[in-house]
Amino acid sequence: MGGYIADPLSRKDIRKLANRLRELFGLERDINFPIVQVIEFLSNKGELNLEICTSDDMGVKIR
């Protein structure tokens, strides 16, 4: 695996990214976003590998 760790984002930046994804998928007016289906689709295409880690694994300090 590539071992890429995403940089933290502010809520404002997360909202911008989420809105951009909605635009790309043509879901601007939908309340719900089919995230599970998108993750499965991208995983099956080999475009996404999702690994869930603990904060200890990531070196993140939780307040």
Side-chain angles (χ1 to χ4, degrees), residues 15-42:
R15 284 189 185 106
K16 283 183 188 178
L17 180 59
N19 287 333
R20 181 66 181 128
L21 286 172
R22 287 180 180 281
E23 288 174 17
L24 289 171
F25 284 96
L27 300 169
E28 301 98 311
R29 296 182 181 181
D30 292 349
I31 293 174
N32 297 315
F33 186 84
I35 190 64
V36 173
Q37 290 85 353
V38 170
I39 290 172
E40 288 175 347
F41 174 79
L42 293 173

Side-chain angles (χ1 to χ4, degrees), residues 8-19:
L9 296 174
S10 68
R11 287 181 188 216
K12 181 180 177 182
D13 289 338
I14 292 170
R15 284 189 185 106
K16 283 183 188 178
L17 180 59
N19 287 333

Side-chain angles (χ1 to χ4, degrees), residues 5 24 27 34 42-43 45 50 52-54 56 60-61 63:
I5 297 175
L24 289 171
L27 300 169
L42 293 173
S43 294
K45 294 281 187 180
L50 182 64
I52 300 172
C53 301
T54 67
D56 290 336
V60 176
K61 294 181 182 177
R63 298 179 210 178

